[in-house]
């Protein structure tokens, strides 16, 4: 769907009472699907993450051959808007405008044996095929609420509903944006992270030793940005992927150390250290995974290796008349966007099949 100004990613706004205002009662579908909430402050990239997730499922170069199909009309319209954005204007999505019920998806795929051992795959999900080609299918629900909704510092009529839905989630994707101005980050963290976390703890019925039962994917965003990529390169965390397009990446084994290093690298930023400490104290560390993510990936000249200077086009491109316009220059290769969601989903489903297992 497009407008004279470009792809219409604002399609859902016409159906909301007031943009940015959730319905009186938020809930999860009761169909046994995996329930994942995107969790981050304003402008941290939740909607961009969801957008990139759908694009990542269309990339044949990624391992696993995962497909994500919409289960309802709202989800279908969202996916079509993402495709229109890339084919028409190559633009990024706008902020969340329809904070209603979660989008719903059916996920098909073949788990990558290099990422998960066979015992980590729920047996009930595997289809009868040769072991090396076993595929699976499950239902996934994703909630993307506006970042302002997570500000629990001030009273709001929506606060109980939001906190209750978060407490009922199976997992969180927490997006940590290192580029948010640190003064703002410190203030935002107190409202968007710590206060909300306290509220969810108070409403949770599954605390174990004071810790929340949810699985968490901590995603350090903007990995393709020079001010994030170069310090990680200097810290010797970055390695090129083995397969095409050989994108710079931080291994799953090193991602936790990278996150801790990032918090220490900005030691004067008390907010990041608060996030790190709260994640360690409020969640079972066996259920927390860390990723360095990029929604659009890296851009490079053909046949040249990645080096220190990685140009992602600064989210600008040149149109047919040679004018510089906002958009994405080159192909999009999301980095660690699909993987956190798949890993979380498998962990949740595995836990249901083997109660008590972490």
């Amino acid at each position: 769907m497009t407008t004279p100004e470009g792809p219409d990613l604002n399609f859902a706004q016409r159906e909301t009472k007031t943009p940015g205002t959730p319905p009186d009662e938020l809930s999860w579908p009761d169909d046994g699907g995996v329930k994942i909430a995107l969790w981050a402050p304003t402008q941290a990239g939740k909607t961009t993450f969801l957008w990139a997730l759908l694009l990542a499922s269309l990339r044949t170069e990624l391992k696993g051959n995962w497909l994500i199909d919409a289960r309802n009309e709202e989800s279908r319209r969202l996916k079509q808007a993402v495709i229109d954005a890339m084919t028409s204007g190559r633009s990024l999505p706008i902020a969340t405008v329809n904070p209603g019920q979660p989008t719903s998806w059916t996920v098909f795929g073949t788990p990558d044996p290099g990422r998960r051992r066979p015992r980590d795959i729920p047996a009930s999900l595997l289809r009868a095929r040769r072991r090396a080609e076993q595929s699976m299918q499950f239902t996934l629900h994703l909630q993307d609420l506006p970042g302002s909704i997570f500000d629990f510092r001030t009273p709001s009529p929506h606060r109980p509903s939001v906190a209750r839905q978060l407490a009922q989630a199976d997992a969180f994707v927490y997006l940590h944006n290192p580029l948010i101005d640190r003064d703002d980050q410190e203030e935002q963290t107190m409202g968007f992270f710590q206060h909300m976390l306290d509220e969810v703890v108070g409403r949770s019925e599954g605390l174990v030793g004071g810790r929340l039962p949810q699985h968490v994917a901590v995603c350090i965003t903007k990995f393709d940005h020079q001010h994030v990529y170069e310090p990680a390169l200097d810290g010797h965390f970055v390695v090129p992927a083995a397969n095409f397009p050989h994108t710079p990446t931080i291994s799953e084994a090193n991602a936790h150390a990278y996150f801790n290093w990032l918090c220490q690298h900005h030691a004067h930023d008390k907010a990041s250290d608060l996030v790190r400490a709260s994640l360690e104290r409020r969640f079972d560390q066996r259920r927390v995974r860390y990723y360095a993510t990029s929604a659009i990936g890296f851009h490079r000249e053909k046949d040249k290796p990645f080096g220190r200077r990685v140009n992602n086009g600064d989210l600008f491109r040149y149109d047919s008349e040679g004018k510089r316009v906002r958009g994405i220059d080159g192909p999009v290769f999301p980095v660690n966007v699909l993987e956190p969601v798949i890993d979380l989903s498998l962990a949740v489903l595995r836990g249901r099949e083997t109660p008590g297992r972490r």
Side-chain angles (χ1 to χ4, degrees), residues 75-301:
S75 302
R76 278 189 289 273
R77 293 170 67 190
L78 171 62
K79 188 172 184 178
Q80 187 59 53
V82 170
I83 295 173
D84 287 348
M86 291 306 301
T87 58
S88 301
R90 301 191 62 77
S91 58
L92 290 170
I94 58 175
T96 307
V97 293
N98 186 27
Q101 301 303 338
T103 55
S104 297
W105 312 91
T106 300
V107 182
F108 305 88
T110 304
D112 174 13
R115 288 186 54 80
R116 286 285 170 261
R117 297 182 298 277
R119 68 181 181 84
D120 289 331
I121 310 301
S124 62
L125 299 178
L126 294 174
R127 296 185 172 186
R129 299 176 65 183
R130 288 186 304 171
R131 179 177 299 273
E133 298 179 354
Q134 286 183 321
S135 62
M136 59 188 301
Q137 172 184 337
F138 59 89
T139 299
L140 172 66
H141 303 296
L142 291 168
Q143 180 62 290
D144 170 27
L145 292 171
S148 58
I149 298 300
F150 293 123
D151 189 349
F152 282 9
R153 291 171 296 181
T154 57
S156 167
H158 309 293
R159 181 170 173 173
S161 178
V162 172
R164 187 160 44 248
Q165 189 193 42
L166 291 172
Q168 294 170 352
D170 294 314
F172 300 132
V173 172
Y174 175 70
L175 304 179
H176 185 77
N177 182 356
L179 297 181
I180 294 179
D181 180 78
R182 285 192 291 272
D183 291 336
D184 292 338
Q185 176 81 343
E186 183 169 347
E187 180 182 354
Q188 287 180 2
T189 299
M190 292 303 295
F192 291 95
F193 186 90
Q194 193 60 51
H195 288 289
M196 192 211 76
L197 186 60
D198 291 342
E199 188 81 13
V200 174
V201 168
R203 293 179 179 274
S204 176
E205 298 180 355
L207 292 179
V208 179
R211 289 180 166 83
L212 288 164
Q214 282 85 359
H215 295 265
V216 183
V218 179
C219 296
I220 303 98
T221 64
K222 310 294 185 182
F223 181 49
D224 60 284
H225 195 283
Q226 179 180 356
H227 294 161
V228 178
Y229 173 72
E230 289 193 359
L233 195 65
D234 290 338
H236 304 288
F237 293 102
V238 180
V239 296
N243 301 316
F244 177 84
H246 307 294
T247 305
T249 187
I250 295 178
S251 70
E252 187 175 352
N254 290 335
H256 189 187
Y258 168 61
F259 179 72
N260 288 337
W261 175 86
L262 189 65
C263 293
Q264 295 170 1
H265 184 69
H266 299 289
H268 55 287
D269 177 10
K270 293 179 290 186
S272 292
D273 192 59
L274 175 63
V275 170
R276 180 197 58 77
S278 294
L279 286 168
E280 291 182 358
R281 291 177 60 83
R282 282 302 189 184
F283 294 96
D284 185 333
Q285 289 305 289
R286 292 171 293 181
R287 295 189 171 200
V288 182
R289 295 177 172 86
Y290 296 81
Y291 306 82
T293 70
S294 168
I296 64 175
F298 293 85
H299 177 66
R300 68 171 180 178
E301 295 183 27

